[in-house]
């Protein structure tokens, strides 16, 4: 009610949600290049005002300047979130539940199965903090530990992000800061992230586009 009137507003925080997105990864490897392109969609459903389930399905395309290093594939992920309050959420996800990557050099593999536990809290309408831990098959200790914060410099339009992550495993262990930004235009959101990587691979640039329905 607004005075003596009934006002109806659309609630985008509850009910089913659908999205399509494009994400691209570029690796800086001096004279040679490597890139990954991910195109897919996601859907989420809420149960009550605390629990939500979601799933995503993506097509993967890998290309590079190296001989026969290119591939295509797919990836299916599932997740669940639980809201403890209007400001705080916990999440559990299996981002690579079902996957296959078909390499040009006649090899087929799946992405390593992993389990991610996450937490996020809104400290104000403009500031959100988050942390997560990823457990990956074949690793005795957590594969990734990360924390960060997001600040909406211009509310609902432009956000700045910064964080710190530690990766254990792979070619080299990495403990370095991360940076990012987001721009939101109604149902469109553009994302950019810079991850400082190991000396052998260089830094990683991620560019994303999300369309909400």
């Amino acid at each position: 009610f607004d005075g003596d009137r009934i006002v109806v507003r659309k609630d985008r925080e509850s009910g089913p949600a659908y999205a399509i997105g494009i994400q691209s990864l570029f690796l800086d490897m001096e004279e040679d290049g490597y890139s990954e392109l991910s195109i897919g969609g996601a859907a989420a459903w809420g149960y009550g005002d605390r629990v939500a389930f979601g799933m995503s399905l993506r097509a993967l395309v890998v290309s590079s300047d190296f001989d026969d290093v290119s591939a295509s594939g797919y990836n299916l992920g599932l997740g669940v979130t639980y809201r403890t309050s209007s400001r705080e959420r916990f999440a559990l996800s299996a981002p690579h539940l079902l996957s296959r990557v078909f390499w040009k050099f006649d090899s087929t593999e799946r992405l390593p199965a992993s389990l991610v536990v996450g937490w996020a809290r809104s400290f104000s309408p403009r500031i959100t903090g988050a942390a997560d831990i990823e457990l990956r098959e074949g690793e005795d200790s957590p594969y990734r530990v990360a924390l960060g914060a997001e600040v909406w410099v211009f509310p609902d339009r432009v956000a700045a992000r910064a964080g710190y992550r530690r990766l254990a495993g792979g070619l080299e262990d990495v403990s370095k800061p991360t940076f990012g930004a987001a721009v939101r235009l109604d149902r469109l959101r553009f994302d950019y992230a810079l991850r400082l990587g190991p000396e052998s691979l260089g830094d990683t640039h991620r560019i994303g586009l999300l369309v909400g329905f």
Side-chain angles (χ1 to χ4, degrees), residues 3-62:
D4 58 354
R5 297 181 302 163
I6 297 178
V7 180
V8 178
R9 296 185 178 91
K10 186 174 182 180
D11 182 5
R12 293 186 177 179
E13 300 300 323
S14 62
Y18 308 95
I20 58 174
I22 301 174
Q23 186 180 62
S24 184
L25 177 150
F26 302 94
L27 288 181
D28 180 10
M29 306 179 70
E30 297 182 355
E31 296 182 357
D32 297 309
Y34 176 91
S35 67
E36 296 179 2
L37 180 65
S38 170
I39 304 173
W45 300 267
Y47 293 86
D49 60 353
R50 291 186 179 273
V51 180
F53 295 90
M55 64 177 295
S56 64
L57 180 62
R58 298 180 294 163
L60 309 175
V61 179
V62 178

Side-chain angles (χ1 to χ4, degrees), residues 6 43 119 132 137 158 163 167:
I6 297 178
W119 163 87
D132 63 65
E137 66 174 329
V158 180
L167 293 179

